[in-house]
Amino acid sequence: MPSQINDEKVSLIHSSGSSVEVYFFGATITSWKCGGKERLFLSKDSKLDGTKAIRGGIPLIFPQFAKASEPSAETANLPQHGIARVSTWKWLGVNVDNDEELTARFGLTDSQVPENFHKEWPKKFELIFIVTLTADTLKNTLEVRNKGTEPFGFNALLHTYYSVPDISKVSIKGLNDITYIDKVTNFTRVQDVKDSITIDQETDRIYENVTRDEFLIDLGQPGGVGNFTLKKLNLKDTVVWNPWIGKARSMSDFGDEEYKNMVCVEPGTVTEYVKLEADKTWEGGQILKVQL
Ligand code: BG6
């Protein structure tokens, strides 16, 4: 039974036992299991009924990351993190199903987004989100097509929440020597010289122009099981986020203690808008590979 579908979500189940679950709301991946373990964090307090963006898994951020900093930006009136994560996507079916991999596709066009957002960003576009599952990898690709007659600019980001047994044991390698914008200290620019990132306080950083495409994320699973490699595909920036104690308490859809069990490592293109000409397609994504 490679896929199961109901009104709210699709589950893909690979012959190895790995699986992935995708809600139509936001085309949000909410679960990825492999090697018998859940790899993604989903808050126990997350809404899953379409009234709020899903808190966990892999929400898709498009066409605006955070709130636009320039009031004149064409995405200035859109909500934080844009419209893709709060729109209901169409299921476009499974198009590869063999012993190696299962691939499913989801689509969103401007005619499907809520009317108020469409008014604020009246662009003609088509998004295709492609989810590919193997025994030990999860690949996500986002295609953006400009269906209008004028160019438009956008941000895109895969807001990936990893499940971790103990945040104090997490380390992320591959971002050393890269400048980041520290949102916690009023957007100061900092050069990261540490060999690996560890998290022991509120962390909200945008690593800019990350030239390395592959990082190692050690999620501190006992015995080293659960280390990941993250490969970015055509996404130049990477956000690292953990709300820590104070912010966790202020979020209604996040448990007070859950900051200990998650970290977000979010590849995207967010420090500059991608400019997409009419009739053109842009593609970006990530491949997550677990060391089983
Ligand atoms: C991260 C941002 O990507 O998302 C943070 O860098 C933000 O600043 C976090 O707090 C969560 O955002 P939201 O809109 O899902 O609460």
mmCIF file of all heavy atoms in Angstrom, residues 4 19 33 55 59 63 70 85 87 107 119 145 168 173 186 204 213 220 231 238 244 257:
data_model
loop_
_atom_site.group_PDB
_atom_site.id
_atom_site.type_symbol
_atom_site.label_atom_id
_atom_site.label_comp_id
_atom_site.label_asym_id
_atom_site.label_seq_id
_atom_site.Cartn_x
_atom_site.Cartn_y
_atom_site.Cartn_z
ATOM 1 N N GLN A 4 -1.758 6.417 1.032
ATOM 2 C CA GLN A 4 -3.101 6.479 1.620
ATOM 3 C C GLN A 4 -3.519 7.930 1.562
ATOM 4 O O GLN A 4 -2.694 8.808 1.801
ATOM 5 C CB GLN A 4 -3.050 6.066 3.094
ATOM 6 C CG GLN A 4 -2.761 4.611 3.292
ATOM 7 C CD GLN A 4 -2.510 4.282 4.774
ATOM 8 O OE1 GLN A 4 -2.468 5.153 5.622
ATOM 9 N NE2 GLN A 4 -2.336 3.004 5.038
ATOM 10 N N SER A 19 8.222 6.439 5.801
ATOM 11 C CA SER A 19 6.940 7.032 5.388
ATOM 12 C C SER A 19 7.003 8.546 5.521
ATOM 13 O O SER A 19 7.846 9.084 6.251
ATOM 14 C CB SER A 19 5.789 6.493 6.251
ATOM 15 O OG SER A 19 5.973 6.888 7.580
ATOM 16 N N LYS A 33 9.121 9.364 8.812
ATOM 17 C CA LYS A 33 9.682 8.304 9.646
ATOM 18 C C LYS A 33 10.648 7.492 8.810
ATOM 19 O O LYS A 33 10.330 7.128 7.663
ATOM 20 C CB LYS A 33 8.574 7.371 10.135
ATOM 21 C CG LYS A 33 7.656 8.040 11.132
ATOM 22 C CD LYS A 33 6.678 7.050 11.730
ATOM 23 C CE LYS A 33 5.732 7.774 12.666
ATOM 24 N NZ LYS A 33 4.365 7.339 12.557
ATOM 25 N N ARG A 55 2.416 24.156 13.029
ATOM 26 C CA ARG A 55 3.621 24.436 13.812
ATOM 27 C C ARG A 55 4.478 23.167 13.866
ATOM 28 O O ARG A 55 4.388 22.363 14.778
ATOM 29 C CB ARG A 55 3.222 24.870 15.224
ATOM 30 C CG ARG A 55 4.378 25.077 16.160
ATOM 31 C CD ARG A 55 5.236 26.241 15.780
ATOM 32 N NE ARG A 55 4.533 27.513 15.948
ATOM 33 C CZ ARG A 55 4.964 28.650 15.351
ATOM 34 N NH1 ARG A 55 6.049 28.666 14.581
ATOM 35 N NH2 ARG A 55 4.288 29.774 15.530
ATOM 36 N N PRO A 59 6.788 23.446 6.900
ATOM 37 C CA PRO A 59 5.948 24.442 6.213
ATOM 38 C C PRO A 59 6.721 25.081 5.039
ATOM 39 O O PRO A 59 7.935 25.277 5.124
ATOM 40 C CB PRO A 59 5.654 25.472 7.298
ATOM 41 C CG PRO A 59 5.956 24.788 8.599
ATOM 42 C CD PRO A 59 7.038 23.797 8.290
ATOM 43 N N PRO A 63 5.436 33.807 -0.914
ATOM 44 C CA PRO A 63 6.577 34.419 -1.600
ATOM 45 C C PRO A 63 7.360 35.369 -0.695
ATOM 46 O O PRO A 63 8.200 36.117 -1.201
ATOM 47 C CB PRO A 63 5.889 35.222 -2.717
ATOM 48 C CG PRO A 63 4.606 35.683 -2.068
ATOM 49 C CD PRO A 63 4.208 34.598 -1.093
ATOM 50 N N GLU A 70 11.018 46.239 3.627
ATOM 51 C CA GLU A 70 10.765 47.505 2.909
ATOM 52 C C GLU A 70 9.271 47.689 2.707
ATOM 53 O O GLU A 70 8.617 46.828 2.101
ATOM 54 C CB GLU A 70 11.396 47.444 1.504
ATOM 55 C CG GLU A 70 12.898 47.281 1.484
ATOM 56 C CD GLU A 70 13.602 48.474 2.102
ATOM 57 O OE1 GLU A 70 13.050 49.594 2.000
ATOM 58 O OE2 GLU A 70 14.671 48.285 2.698
ATOM 59 N N ARG A 85 1.930 28.543 3.032
ATOM 60 C CA ARG A 85 1.703 27.660 4.185
ATOM 61 C C ARG A 85 0.282 27.748 4.734
ATOM 62 O O ARG A 85 -0.100 26.938 5.582
ATOM 63 C CB ARG A 85 2.727 27.939 5.298
ATOM 64 C CG ARG A 85 2.586 29.276 5.990
ATOM 65 C CD ARG A 85 3.544 29.395 7.183
ATOM 66 N NE ARG A 85 3.385 30.669 7.867
ATOM 67 C CZ ARG A 85 3.879 30.948 9.066
ATOM 68 N NH1 ARG A 85 4.595 30.042 9.710
ATOM 69 N NH2 ARG A 85 3.705 32.127 9.620
ATOM 70 N N SER A 87 -2.477 28.153 2.525
ATOM 71 C CA SER A 87 -3.403 27.905 1.417
ATOM 72 C C SER A 87 -3.560 26.397 1.251
ATOM 73 O O SER A 87 -2.653 25.631 1.581
ATOM 74 C CB SER A 87 -2.845 28.488 0.110
ATOM 75 O OG SER A 87 -2.695 29.884 0.221
ATOM 76 N N GLY A 107 0.033 20.881 -5.951
ATOM 77 C CA GLY A 107 0.045 22.113 -6.754
ATOM 78 C C GLY A 107 -0.749 23.238 -6.105
ATOM 79 O O GLY A 107 -1.728 23.006 -5.380
ATOM 80 N N LYS A 119 -5.465 39.653 -3.338
ATOM 81 C CA LYS A 119 -5.579 41.106 -3.531
ATOM 82 C C LYS A 119 -4.256 41.795 -3.198
ATOM 83 O O LYS A 119 -3.828 42.724 -3.874
ATOM 84 C CB LYS A 119 -6.678 41.649 -2.599
ATOM 85 C CG LYS A 119 -7.838 42.239 -3.367
ATOM 86 C CD LYS A 119 -8.788 42.938 -2.412
ATOM 87 C CE LYS A 119 -10.076 42.139 -2.329
ATOM 88 N NZ LYS A 119 -10.789 42.272 -1.091
ATOM 89 N N ARG A 145 6.410 28.851 -11.061
ATOM 90 C CA ARG A 145 6.236 29.316 -12.454
ATOM 91 C C ARG A 145 5.551 30.663 -12.456
ATOM 92 O O ARG A 145 4.547 30.843 -11.761
ATOM 93 C CB ARG A 145 5.339 28.351 -13.241
ATOM 94 C CG ARG A 145 6.002 27.059 -13.418
ATOM 95 C CD ARG A 145 5.377 26.143 -14.457
ATOM 96 N NE ARG A 145 6.146 24.925 -14.334
ATOM 97 C CZ ARG A 145 5.667 23.716 -14.120
ATOM 98 N NH1 ARG A 145 4.374 23.525 -14.103
ATOM 99 N NH2 ARG A 145 6.466 22.690 -13.965
ATOM 100 N N SER A 168 20.539 20.217 23.955
ATOM 101 C CA SER A 168 21.923 20.502 24.383
ATOM 102 C C SER A 168 22.929 19.600 23.666
ATOM 103 O O SER A 168 24.129 19.845 23.725
ATOM 104 C CB SER A 168 22.064 20.358 25.903
ATOM 105 O OG SER A 168 21.972 18.996 26.252
ATOM 106 N N LYS A 173 27.111 21.334 11.560
ATOM 107 C CA LYS A 173 28.436 21.633 11.003
ATOM 108 C C LYS A 173 28.310 22.043 9.540
ATOM 109 O O LYS A 173 27.541 21.444 8.802
ATOM 110 C CB LYS A 173 29.309 20.368 11.053
ATOM 111 C CG LYS A 173 29.685 19.936 12.445
ATOM 112 C CD LYS A 173 30.775 18.859 12.390
ATOM 113 C CE LYS A 173 31.299 18.540 13.777
ATOM 114 N NZ LYS A 173 30.304 17.860 14.618
ATOM 115 N N ASN A 186 18.976 42.384 17.149
ATOM 116 C CA ASN A 186 18.597 43.502 16.290
ATOM 117 C C ASN A 186 19.275 43.497 14.913
ATOM 118 O O ASN A 186 19.761 44.517 14.450
ATOM 119 C CB ASN A 186 18.879 44.816 17.035
ATOM 120 C CG ASN A 186 17.993 45.917 16.539
ATOM 121 O OD1 ASN A 186 17.000 45.648 15.850
ATOM 122 N ND2 ASN A 186 18.357 47.147 16.849
ATOM 123 N N ASP A 204 18.129 32.804 16.316
ATOM 124 C CA ASP A 204 17.340 33.151 15.131
ATOM 125 C C ASP A 204 18.297 33.843 14.149
ATOM 126 O O ASP A 204 18.529 35.048 14.249
ATOM 127 C CB ASP A 204 16.176 34.068 15.547
ATOM 128 C CG ASP A 204 15.118 34.184 14.458
ATOM 129 O OD1 ASP A 204 15.359 33.664 13.345
ATOM 130 O OD2 ASP A 204 14.061 34.794 14.720
ATOM 131 N N ASP A 213 27.054 23.414 -0.017
ATOM 132 C CA ASP A 213 25.701 22.931 -0.261
ATOM 133 C C ASP A 213 25.314 21.792 0.665
ATOM 134 O O ASP A 213 24.179 21.350 0.673
ATOM 135 C CB ASP A 213 25.558 22.477 -1.715
ATOM 136 C CG ASP A 213 25.321 23.680 -2.594
ATOM 137 O OD1 ASP A 213 24.798 24.677 -2.083
ATOM 138 O OD2 ASP A 213 25.695 23.624 -3.772
ATOM 139 N N GLY A 220 21.996 14.525 17.976
ATOM 140 C CA GLY A 220 22.287 14.054 19.327
ATOM 141 C C GLY A 220 21.502 12.823 19.727
ATOM 142 O O GLY A 220 21.204 12.628 20.902
ATOM 143 N N LYS A 231 21.385 18.497 2.048
ATOM 144 C CA LYS A 231 21.936 19.032 0.802
ATOM 145 C C LYS A 231 20.955 20.067 0.271
ATOM 146 O O LYS A 231 19.767 19.753 0.088
ATOM 147 C CB LYS A 231 22.113 17.884 -0.191
ATOM 148 C CG LYS A 231 22.941 18.257 -1.359
ATOM 149 C CD LYS A 231 23.239 17.010 -2.184
ATOM 150 C CE LYS A 231 23.756 17.420 -3.470
ATOM 151 N NZ LYS A 231 24.839 17.563 -3.996
ATOM 152 N N THR A 238 20.477 30.067 4.712
ATOM 153 C CA THR A 238 19.992 29.029 5.638
ATOM 154 C C THR A 238 19.661 29.693 6.973
ATOM 155 O O THR A 238 20.496 30.395 7.541
ATOM 156 C CB THR A 238 21.073 27.953 5.865
ATOM 157 O OG1 THR A 238 21.390 27.382 4.596
ATOM 158 C CG2 THR A 238 20.584 26.853 6.796
ATOM 159 N N TRP A 244 13.643 29.076 22.230
ATOM 160 C CA TRP A 244 14.076 29.013 23.620
ATOM 161 C C TRP A 244 12.909 29.343 24.564
ATOM 162 O O TRP A 244 11.749 29.317 24.132
ATOM 163 C CB TRP A 244 15.324 29.887 23.844
ATOM 164 C CG TRP A 244 16.238 29.312 24.893
ATOM 165 C CD1 TRP A 244 16.524 29.840 26.129
ATOM 166 C CD2 TRP A 244 16.972 28.081 24.812
ATOM 167 N NE1 TRP A 244 17.395 29.015 26.792
ATOM 168 C CE2 TRP A 244 17.678 27.938 26.029
ATOM 169 C CE3 TRP A 244 17.096 27.079 23.831
ATOM 170 C CZ2 TRP A 244 18.500 26.838 26.301
ATOM 171 C CZ3 TRP A 244 17.917 25.993 24.093
ATOM 172 C CH2 TRP A 244 18.599 25.887 25.311
ATOM 173 N N GLU A 257 7.732 23.651 26.981
ATOM 174 C CA GLU A 257 9.006 22.918 27.130
ATOM 175 C C GLU A 257 9.504 22.351 25.798
ATOM 176 O O GLU A 257 10.552 21.706 25.758
ATOM 177 C CB GLU A 257 8.802 21.738 28.105
ATOM 178 C CG GLU A 257 8.360 22.145 29.505
ATOM 179 C CD GLU A 257 9.415 22.956 30.232
ATOM 180 O OE1 GLU A 257 10.606 22.611 30.132
ATOM 181 O OE2 GLU A 257 9.032 23.965 30.875
#
